[in-house]
Amino acid sequence: MKDICIRDIRTAHDLARISSILGAAGVGLEGGGMWEGVARYLVHDGSAARAALLAAGIAHVDVNNVLLLELDVDEPGALGRLMAELAADGADLVAQYSDHENRKVLVMRDSSPSIAAPS
């Protein structure tokens, strides 16, 4: 799985265009959303997603590695404990969202140390 990051997204029309382009390319969205002009989606094939968007003239597309983690969503404080453990390991977190299976999708900067799933 990969995170695709698309910048300069401002309207529902922009999201409709991106979704249509990815759908036509056979790329499904497994999680994500749009916040303040930046769309992030979890996809199986980041290269195919990026190629389709670039071919359609969408210039600001990045593909990032992700760490997918199970998190007990019914346990208060679980996200805080997870983030504290990642911080202690030196992770430089860029984004965090959930996928369709209620897993946490963590996107780290390339400069972050190699982080394994916390215990």
Side-chain angles (χ1 to χ4, degrees):
M1 295 284 227
K2 299 288 184 177
D3 165 83
I4 57 170
C5 178
I6 309 148
R7 301 189 188 288
D8 298 327
I9 304 303
R10 301 288 176 205
T11 66
H13 174 73
D14 293 339
L15 286 176
R17 181 170 178 236
I18 287 167
S19 299
S20 294
I21 292 164
L22 293 172
V27 176
L29 305 178
E30 304 300 323
M34 191 272 282
W35 304 266
E36 298 184 356
V38 178
R40 289 189 167 279
Y41 293 104
L42 185 66
V43 298
H44 284 284
D45 189 342
S47 296
R50 185 172 194 275
L53 292 166
L54 291 175
I58 310 243
H60 304 288
V61 180
D62 297 318
V63 177
N64 305 290
N65 291 322
V66 299
L67 181 61
L68 292 174
L69 298 176
E70 299 288 334
L71 185 66
D72 186 351
V73 296
D74 293 329
E75 184 180 329
L79 181 60
R81 288 187 295 278
L82 171 64
M83 290 300 119
E85 194 168 339
L86 288 171
D89 286 343
D92 188 1
L93 189 65
V94 173
Q96 176 267 310
Y97 54 90
S98 297
D99 70 1
H100 294 164
E101 296 179 25
N102 290 322
R103 295 176 296 186
K104 292 300 171 196
V105 179
L106 305 176
V107 183
M108 258 83 66
R109 291 202 197 288
D110 289 339
S111 60
S112 283
S114 180
I115 303 292
S119 53

